[in-house]
Amino acid sequence: MSLSESRLDLGTTFLSASRLILGTGGANSLAALERAIVASETELVTVALRRVDAAGPGLLPMLDRLGVRVLPNTAGCYTAGDAVKTARLARDAFETDLIKLEVIGDERTLLPDGVELLRAAETLVADGFTVLPYTSDDPILARRLADVGCAAVMPAGSPIGSGLGISNPHHIRLIRQSVDVPVVLDAGIGTASDAALAMELGCDAVLVASAVTRADDPTAMAVAMKHAVVAGRLAFSAGRIPRRFHALASTSDAGRAQW
Amino acid sequence: MRLTVNGQRVDTGVRSVQALVESITEAQRGVAVAVNGEVVPRSTWPVTSLADGDVVEVLTAAQGG
């Protein structure tokens, strides 16, 4: 596999080279965020929608200057109704039909509310959105989301910001097998090896926010994530060796000296 | 005219959504408005009048995952 075969279609948008999507939440400053975005070589970054007085200026001009595309989210929404309204506002604000659909079920875990999520996804797909839902690692729910027309599914490896990595790798593989749309591992990544694992499990892309923005050195972690996603993807397509219970010598016994 | 703008009560002379947005942000892009819970598309801001008691949300891009 060459990296030139990297294009990934996500409904009406695509990733041309990098399979790393960066979340912009959690950064200490716009300058730190900018350095991380540049270092990650991402093409697509998430943004939230907040009141102008709370949001602070400068984010969108900076993203425009860097030439990265914007994936608005519905962060903080707890009902389908709220999420649909937020998505429509985001479409008007950012002139994109892309939406990272989040409908949270619980403040402590920030895990998705599957019932509300599916409801919102159906409405937004019918309304012409390219819906990228943040979902749980439930293969059945992922399939239902794909069935209603979501352009991808984005299962959580573990709760948002937890850094616990991929707690159920088997389910991520099941999701990969049960949908025909791209699978983006979203949430829970703690470090580069988690991102590599996601790609080795067959995910098409990885979305990382806190693991980069809250790292001691966000720029260095952004570089690590970039390499991890490439390495994981190459390893997946290269085909790993089967796991064995016992050793299998790589060096032939033939021609060994006899004493 | 009394409005509630982003949760704050304000007394204002502005009449249109366009004028209200210009009075609180310089951003040319990336702004969305809801009045009484309904999205007001950007193209209609100049011709959308505000009424006493309207609840207005003026939103823009913020950092978020």
Side-chain angles (χ1 to χ4, degrees):
Chain A
M1 185 198 75
S2 80
L3 291 179
S4 62
E5 293 161 17
S6 276
R7 182 184 161 109
L8 177 68
D9 287 303
L10 294 169
T12 51
T13 193
F14 63 94
L15 303 177
S16 64
S18 169
R19 297 298 187 94
L20 176 61
I21 303 170
L22 204 62
T24 59
N28 276 335
S29 68
L30 269 187
L33 178 62
E34 178 169 353
R35 286 192 295 272
I37 291 171
V38 170
S40 74
E41 293 182 18
T42 187
E43 301 166 26
L44 187 64
V45 301
T46 65
V47 295
L49 202 57
R50 292 291 180 266
R51 289 172 167 172
V52 287
D53 36 331
L59 177 60
L60 216 50
M62 183 265 278
L63 299 177
D64 284 346
R65 183 158 43 78
L66 297 181
V68 293
R69 272 168 290 136
V70 164
L71 170 59
N73 69 24
T74 62
C77 292
Y78 281 79
T79 66
D82 271 2
V84 166
K85 203 172 286 180
T86 303
R88 288 177 176 151
L89 283 162
R91 177 164 64 183
D92 202 54
F94 307 121
E95 296 160 45
T96 174
D97 61 11
L98 275 182
I99 192 74
K100 175 185 167 182
L101 180 61
E102 296 184 44
V103 190
I104 300 304
D106 173 291
E107 199 173 284
R108 230 153 54 99
T109 65
L110 298 179
L111 287 170
D113 180 326
V115 176
E116 294 291 310
L117 180 67
L118 189 60
R119 201 172 283 160
E122 270 186 295
T123 304
L124 290 172
V125 167
D127 202 5
F129 280 87
T130 293
V131 181
L132 311 177
Y134 159 66
T135 183
S136 61
D137 63 8
D138 174 0
I140 308 302
L141 178 58
R143 197 175 65 211
R144 294 289 300 268
L145 288 162
D147 286 349
V148 300
C150 291
V153 292
M154 307 209 296
S158 53
I160 291 171
S162 71
L164 291 171
I166 299 174
S167 44
N168 198 338
H170 184 60
H171 273 204
I172 300 301
R173 292 180 70 184
L174 283 173
I175 288 173
R176 177 59 290 171
Q177 288 181 3
S178 49
V179 299
D180 291 328
V181 296
V183 177
V184 180
L185 199 287
D186 178 10
I189 299 265
T191 188
S193 53
D194 298 330
L197 175 60
M199 298 304 285
E200 288 172 3
L201 293 169
C203 290
D204 300 279
V206 172
L207 197 161
V208 178
S210 309
V212 167
T213 58
R214 296 194 167 118
D216 287 343
D217 184 342
T219 307
M221 188 59 89
V223 175
M225 290 296 177
K226 175 184 77 176
H227 289 302
V229 167
V230 170
R233 181 147 188 269
L234 285 168
F236 175 69
S237 65
R240 60 154 299 141
I241 60 167
R243 288 181 170 84
R244 300 171 57 93
F245 191 72
H246 286 121
L248 175 65
S250 61
T251 306
S252 168
D253 233 19
R256 188 168 63 85
Q258 301 292 317
W259 313 110
Chain B
M1 179 167 62
R2 291 189 170 196
L3 303 173
T4 303
V5 180
N6 287 348
Q8 303 288 321
R9 297 209 161 201
V10 294
D11 218 329
T12 175
V14 302
R15 295 280 165 226
S16 71
V17 168
Q18 177 82 32
L20 178 70
V21 171
E22 284 170 1
S23 73
I24 60 175
T25 177
E26 292 175 0
Q28 301 294 310
R29 200 172 91 70
V31 179
V33 176
V35 176
N36 301 326
E38 294 297 323
V39 182
V40 179
R42 171 181 290 262
S43 58
T44 67
W45 289 358
V47 295
T48 303
S49 301
L50 292 164
D52 198 50
D54 277 349
V55 177
V56 187
E57 295 282 336
V58 184
L59 308 174
T60 192
Q63 292 177 40

